[in-house]
């Protein structure tokens, strides 16, 4: 018997093998199906998917055999990975100097062997797809071609599992980062809102007590400090709402009337301007995440009020149910949005540099939060607009059981 040699790049090959995290894993149906098909095509009693580790040959899948691994120094696959031909064949191991007194031959009657290297995308042979028989034999050209093709599919499965594992790892890391960011945002909110409130109160106190001692510019500075504090406070609140959408979207569904909900939202907005809001004619008994839906509508109707330069504001709201979805449409006669900016309005921190009715600039958080909530409720959202005439926002959410 001749022990198989090690490849010159053995350490790199082992590193590549271990990056797939397949060693010592349980049997998997996808691989077992391939070994079963391989044995049937080649008309042999044994078929294996092997992974050649440092000192053993791990059997990822075995058909016709009950072993999990064999020593590397007696493995046929140790020789096969060194052979760069398409397929490594030993027709009668009893007559081959490399294998004639090998325990696999003398004790397990492994006479015939054919193996195809499982070469990964970086060119490293990880193991083999191989077949054994207890008698001397040959493979037909079509059997050899099928064995090579099936080995290619095994490698595809390796790569797919590695890719999925990487995606799951990346997802877990992103979730961890997101939790850290939400925690940080919570701390920032707590630590910054109190100083901001103090700044607002202090500016009011200074204006009351010392306003008569200040000139117009000084009083403007105090107003600027107060307004900037309000703006930053709103920004922090919006950011927190954005990162709390997962919790909001996780609230249980409840049954409620669409008309009652919309009337509650209008009351919450505390509208103190000339405004006509037309509600849907039909009242729908809805079953959905009411908390999330209210946040969506508060933001959208609020935008229709803020970004409106008309003397009389008009907002038309439509709501209907179809095929297990609730469809909403909100149309206003406001400022409108330029066409080249419509595709970006739902992106986080993106603004169109338009000042609202009170001369304030948005922070680009609200609509991003709305889209995130709509997506979490298994719906879609889109907007259309005519500059100077108004905007229509359409969205739908899934009816919940």
């Amino acid at each position: 018997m001749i022990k198989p040699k090690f490849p010159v790049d053995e350490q790199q090959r082992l590193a590549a093998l271990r990056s797939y995290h397949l060693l010592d894993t349980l049997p998997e149906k996808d691989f077992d199906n391939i070994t079963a098909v391989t044995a049937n095509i080649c008309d042999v009693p044994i078929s294996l998917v092997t992974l050649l580790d440092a000192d053993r040959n791990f059997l990822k899948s075995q058909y016709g055999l009950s072993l999990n691994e064999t020593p590397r120094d007696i493995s046929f696959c140790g020789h096969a990975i060194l052979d760069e031909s398409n397929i490594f064949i030993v027709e009668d191991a009893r007559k081959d100097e490399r294998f004639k007194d090998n325990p696999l031959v003398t004790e397990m009657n492994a006479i015939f062997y054919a193996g195809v290297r499982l070469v990964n995308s970086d060119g490293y042979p990880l193991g083999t797809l191989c077949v054994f028989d207890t008698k001397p034999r040959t493979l037909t050209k079509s059997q050899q071609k099928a064995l090579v093709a099936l080995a290619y599919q095994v490698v595809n499965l390796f790569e797919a599992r590695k890719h999925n594992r990487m995606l799951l790892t990346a997802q877990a890391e992103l979730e961890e980062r997101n939790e850290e960011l939400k925690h940080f945002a919570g701390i920032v909110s707590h630590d910054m809102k109190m100083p901001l409130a103090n700044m607002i109160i202090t500016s009011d106190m200074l204006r009351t007590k010392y306003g008569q001692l200040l000139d117009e510019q000084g009083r403007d500075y105090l107003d600027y400090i107060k307004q900037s504090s309000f703006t930053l406070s709103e920004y922090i609140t919006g950011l927190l709402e954005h990162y709390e959408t997962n919790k909001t979207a996780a609230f249980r569904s409840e049954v409620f009337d669409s008309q009652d909900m919309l009337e509650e939202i209008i009351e919450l907005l505390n509208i103190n301007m000339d405004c006509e809001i037309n509600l849907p004619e039909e009242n729908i008994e809805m079953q959905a995440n009411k908390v999330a839906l209210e946040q969506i509508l508060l933001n959208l109707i609020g935008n229709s009020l803020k970004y409106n330069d008309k003397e009389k504001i008009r907002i038309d709201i439509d709501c209907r149910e179809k095929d297990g979805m609730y469809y909403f449409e909100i149309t206003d006669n406001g400022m409108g949005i330029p066409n080249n900016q419509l595709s970006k309005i739902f992106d986080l921190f993106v603004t169109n540099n338009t000042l609202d009715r009170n001369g304030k600039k948005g922070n680009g958080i609200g609509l991003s939060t709305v889209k995130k909530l709509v997506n979490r409720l298994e719906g879609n959202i889109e907007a259309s607009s005519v500059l100077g005439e108004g905007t229509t926002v359409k969205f739908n959410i899934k009816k919940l059981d």
Side-chain angles (χ1 to χ4, degrees):
M1 185 189 84
I2 300 174
K3 293 182 179 181
K5 295 180 180 180
F6 289 92
V8 293
D9 55 357
E10 177 64 0
Q11 293 307 311
Q12 294 91 331
R13 188 195 72 81
L14 286 173
L17 170 63
R18 288 162 186 167
S19 72
Y20 289 83
H21 298 275
L22 289 166
L23 293 170
D24 298 312
T25 55
L26 295 172
E28 296 181 52
K29 189 174 181 180
D30 288 342
F31 294 107
D32 291 344
N33 285 342
I34 289 179
T35 51
V37 169
T38 301
N40 184 266
I41 290 174
C42 296
D43 192 23
V44 293
I46 297 171
S47 175
L48 310 171
V49 171
T50 73
L51 297 168
L52 208 64
D53 200 2
D55 57 0
R56 60 174 177 151
N57 196 26
F58 174 69
L59 311 184
K60 174 58 185 169
S61 175
Q62 61 269 9
Y63 177 87
L65 201 63
S66 58
L67 296 175
N68 289 323
E69 60 181 57
T70 60
R72 177 171 175 168
D73 59 5
I74 66 169
S75 70
F76 283 65
C77 299
H79 292 276
I81 67 163
L82 300 171
D83 191 305
E84 296 187 359
S85 57
N86 283 341
I87 185 168
F88 179 78
I89 297 177
V90 180
E91 294 183 357
D92 190 341
R94 298 169 301 182
K95 298 178 181 179
D96 194 306
E97 289 294 326
R98 294 167 295 183
F99 307 108
K100 63 181 183 180
D101 53 353
N102 188 308
L104 296 177
V105 178
T106 59
E107 298 174 15
M108 299 182 63
N109 205 29
I111 307 301
F112 171 80
Y113 172 87
V116 177
R117 300 189 308 161
L118 303 174
V119 182
N120 79 344
S121 56
D122 293 321
Y124 293 111
L126 309 177
T128 67
L129 173 64
C130 62
V131 294
F132 284 93
D133 204 341
T134 56
K135 60 185 178 182
R137 57 165 301 157
T138 59
L139 293 180
T140 65
K141 291 293 184 184
S142 62
Q143 286 173 327
Q144 292 183 35
K145 188 178 292 186
L147 189 58
V148 171
L150 287 166
Y152 180 77
Q153 293 306 315
V154 172
V155 174
N156 282 344
L157 284 175
F158 286 175
E159 298 293 349
R161 274 154 176 71
K162 183 177 182 179
H163 183 65
N164 288 341
R165 185 184 180 86
M166 291 171 64
L167 287 177
L168 289 172
T169 301
Q171 182 181 358
E173 290 176 353
L174 284 173
E175 289 175 355
E176 183 180 353
R177 296 284 189 276
N178 193 41
E179 286 301 316
E180 290 174 354
L181 185 57
K182 285 194 287 186
H183 180 65
F184 173 74
I187 293 173
V188 168
S189 172
H190 180 271
D191 291 350
M192 289 187 68
K193 279 207 165 186
M194 185 58 70
L196 287 170
N198 289 338
M199 289 172 65
I200 294 168
I201 294 170
T202 302
S203 63
D204 283 340
M205 291 174 62
L206 287 171
R207 187 180 184 90
T208 301
K209 192 169 184 178
Y210 302 106
Q212 71 277 12
L213 302 177
L214 299 173
D215 58 14
E216 186 176 350
Q217 188 176 38
R219 290 190 291 272
D220 287 344
Y221 285 151
L222 285 177
D223 290 340
Y224 179 74
I225 291 171
K226 182 178 179 179
Q227 188 56 51
S228 296
S229 299
F230 272 124
T231 300
L232 185 54
S233 181
E234 290 173 2
Y235 185 87
I236 292 170
T237 300
L239 196 60
L240 277 172
E241 287 179 354
H242 180 81
Y243 285 108
E244 289 295 322
T245 52
N246 289 353
K247 289 183 181 179
T248 304
F251 285 135
R252 292 182 179 180
S253 67
E254 53 185 297
V255 178
F256 55 92
D257 290 337
S258 60
Q259 292 289 100
D260 290 344
M261 177 194 62
L262 289 168
E263 288 172 2
E264 289 171 6
I265 289 171
I266 293 169
E267 187 175 344
L268 281 171
L269 287 167
N270 193 25
I271 302 169
N272 57 2
M273 56 195 82
D274 190 1
C275 178
E276 176 185 334
I277 298 181
N278 299 306
L279 299 181
E281 293 183 4
E282 181 184 0
N283 182 38
I284 300 173
E285 183 180 81
M286 305 184 73
Q287 187 165 354
N289 184 330
K290 186 181 180 183
V291 175
L293 183 56
E294 283 178 336
Q295 187 171 339
I296 293 167
L297 290 167
L298 270 169
N299 197 299
L300 294 177
I301 298 171
N303 277 356
S304 290
L305 293 168
K306 287 194 296 184
Y307 294 96
N308 199 305
D309 54 355
K310 308 301 188 296
E311 287 188 13
K312 182 171 183 176
I313 298 172
R314 178 187 173 95
I315 301 173
D316 297 321
I317 303 173
D318 185 42
C319 175
R320 58 191 173 87
E321 179 183 353
K322 182 181 179 183
D323 299 329
M325 301 289 289
Y326 297 117
Y327 292 84
F328 287 85
E329 183 173 322
I330 300 168
T331 301
D332 63 52
N333 64 338
M335 303 173 185
I337 304 166
N339 283 332
N340 62 350
Q341 295 178 9
L342 266 176
S343 61
K344 301 177 182 178
I345 63 171
F346 296 108
D347 294 344
L348 185 61
F349 301 134
V350 172
T351 63
N352 62 9
N353 296 317
T354 301
L355 300 180
D356 67 17
R357 192 178 185 90
N358 300 313
K360 295 171 60 178
K361 182 181 176 182
N363 53 38
I365 299 175
L367 286 179
S368 175
T369 303
V370 165
K371 182 178 181 181
K372 196 174 178 183
L373 278 172
V374 169
N375 290 342
R376 287 283 181 181
L377 299 179
E378 300 182 54
N380 295 292
I381 187 167
E382 61 180 22
S384 59
S385 186
V386 177
L387 195 60
E389 295 184 15
T391 300
T392 296
V393 177
K394 299 179 181 179
F395 72 92
N396 58 70
I397 63 170
K398 186 178 180 180
K399 180 178 180 179
L400 301 178
D401 297 326

